[in-house]
Structure formats: structure tokens, C-alpha cells
Amino acid sequence: MDRRIVAHRAAFAFLAIASAVQAKGTAVVVVADDGGLDVSAVRAIRSVTAFELRRRGVEVSEDLRTEGVQPPDDHLAELVEDLDARRVFLVRIGGMLGSKVPMSLDEVTPARFSPIASASLSAATLDEADVVAQRLVSAVLDRRSADDTATMRTVTLTESRRFEKKPGERFLSFGFPVLLTRGNGSGGPVGFSLEYFYEAQSFRAGLLLETATNGGTGLGWFGIGATWLPFDSELSPYLGAGIGYMGASNEGGMGGRLEVGMELFRLHGLRLLGGVDLIVPFFGGTQSGFTTSSVQPVYPLGHVRLAF
């Protein structure tokens, strides 16, 4: 009877020594911050992290002392030294922000817990924490951002949701441009413009159709443009530029457009724009060896537009 007891004790001692020897040189995974989550949830997150590390070829210690919350202090340093661990991974859970669970994984040095690699990601719900844990392991081991580890099976709900967009509005405007240069013919200034544009807080972009005549001189314009508005208050100055196709003096071609002005009633649905345009033709010059084109180098226009 005594021999059997001695044999059993010797067998248990051998298994304990074998387990201790096997634990030497392994990695340690501990939860440094549980974020106030339930013990079962914290244990599950740590288990998934350890499993993913093993799947990636990292030998993780199974010592029971690595379970539970282990802040990086002297007690953890003694445990790491006792296990002769070569790698230390710290799991941090940031609690719950509504239904979100912010999580991070750090690999630190065994001696002083100095950071080596770190990654963080938020689970949309607690049920998604296992997916996030897998991606954090991949990010830390591969030394890359957690955002770059997404696959079709591991993309999170936060990443897959539709983008929230900054506010903007679409407008249609009617205007009355005035050509500020007058020809030698009869007739006063007549003009009309139609513009469709999208306007956000600090810019607008759109299409403009414009025509204007004055004393027999006239032009037509159709093009695209963009405008900068520095203020988001009731009124703001603006500075814009555009490019398009234009016609003047029975000639046609590409041209550029600069504009400066003031926009009023920006806080209302109906807006008023007033300013000055400079339209520059990219064509003109000599039509023949003796005749010079009548296309002007610059066509200045004043404009007033009503947008709604």
C-alpha cells in the first residue's frame, strides 16, 4: 500500500515537473484590464486570444496563474520570470461604450514591459469580441495596423456600416450677368445664367450656362467650376474658378473663368449671390495674314444669382 502511494506521488511529481519544463520559454497571455466586464466574458476573450496565438505558431503557457486580471506590475514580472517566458502579450478591454467594446493587444518585453507592438480595435457588440481578438493577434504578430487585417469573414459591423457624410445641399440658380465691356453697336446689356451646384460648408461645385451681350459684343459660356467659401455664417465671400467651352465674336473654343463675390442668406433655403466674373478665352489671335481676331483677351461680367 505504501509503495502504491509513493508511486502515485512520484508520478504526480513527474507530471508537475514535466509541465513546468514544458512551460519554460513559452509566451504569456494575461488580461491587463478587464474594463469591468463579466469574468466569463473576460476569460473567453483571453482564451480566444491565446488560441489564435497558438494557431499562428506561438506556444502559449497554460499555467493557471496567467488567468484572471494581471496588471503589469512586480507580481506579473515575478510570474514571467518564474515561467521563463520569452514573449508577453497584454489584453486590454476598455469596458463598454454603449454596445461597443474597445479592445487592444500589446506585445511587451518580459523584463520591463516596454511596448514592442500594439493594435486596437472596437467590437460593435460583445458577441463580436472574438473576431476582434483574432484580428488583434494578426496585427501584432505581423506588425501592422488592425485596420489592414480585415477579411470577408472578419470585417466588423462598424467597418461595414455606411459612411456618415458631411451635410451639403443641391441648388438651382437663375442669374442676370452684365457684360462690363461694350461694343460699338446698339443695344444695352442683356444676360441670363442657369447654374446647378452642390454646396457644402466651405465649398461648392457645379455646372454653369451663361450668356451676355452689350452693345453688339457678346459671349456664351458652358463649363464646370468650384468655389471656396471661407465662412459658414449667414454671409461669406467666395473665390472660384472654372473651365469650359465658350463662344465670342463668332469664334469658339475652350476658356477659363475666375469669379469673386459674396453669398448672402447661407442659413436659409433661398440664397443670393453677387460678384464679378473674368472669362478668359484660350483662343483668338490672327485669323489671316492681314486680319486680327476681334476676340478680347478678357471678358469681365458682373453677376447676380438667386439660388434655391
Side-chain angles (χ1 to χ4, degrees), residues 224-243:
I224 60 175
T227 305
W228 173 56
L229 299 102
F231 306 140
D232 61 356
S233 55
E234 178 78 356
L235 57 89
S236 173
Y238 61 82
L239 179 65
I243 189 170

Side-chain angles (χ1 to χ4, degrees), residues 91-244:
V91 179
R92 302 180 190 272
I93 305 170
M96 297 191 71
L97 297 173
S99 59
K100 289 184 178 181
V101 183
M103 296 170 53
S104 65
L105 178 66
D106 304 321
E107 182 176 2
V108 298
T109 58
R112 298 183 179 180
F113 305 130
S114 301
I116 299 175
S118 179
S120 59
L121 198 64
S122 292
T125 63
L126 191 58
D127 293 338
E128 201 176 48
D130 56 340
V131 174
V132 170
Q134 295 174 25
R135 288 183 53 181
L136 291 178
V137 169
S138 298
V140 169
L141 293 183
D142 297 339
R143 304 296 192 256
R144 55 177 175 162
S145 171
D147 295 333
D148 300 332
T149 61
T151 64
M152 294 183 66
R153 294 181 179 273
T154 61
V155 64
T156 65
L157 293 176
T158 301
E159 292 170 324
S160 63
R161 74 178 184 182
R162 296 176 63 89
F163 287 114
E164 298 292 342
K165 300 178 179 62
K166 291 184 177 181
E169 297 178 87
R170 293 174 175 83
F171 288 89
L172 183 65
S173 79
F174 295 93
F176 306 96
V178 176
L179 186 60
L180 300 180
T181 58
R182 178 179 173 84
N184 297 323
S186 61
V190 178
F192 176 77
S193 70
L194 179 65
E195 184 179 16
Y196 178 78
F197 62 88
Y198 174 86
E199 183 169 315
Q201 177 176 331
S202 59
F203 77 93
R204 68 171 178 261
L207 295 169
L208 173 65
L209 174 66
E210 188 171 47
T211 179
T213 62
N214 190 0
T217 297
L219 64 84
W221 165 275
F222 178 73
I224 60 175
T227 305
W228 173 56
L229 299 102
F231 306 140
D232 61 356
S233 55
E234 178 78 356
L235 57 89
S236 173
Y238 61 82
L239 179 65
I243 189 170

Side-chain angles (χ1 to χ4, degrees), residues 19 26 45 50 52 57 114 127 212 218 226 229:
S19 299
T26 60
I45 292 173
E52 187 65 18
S114 301
D127 293 338
L229 299 102

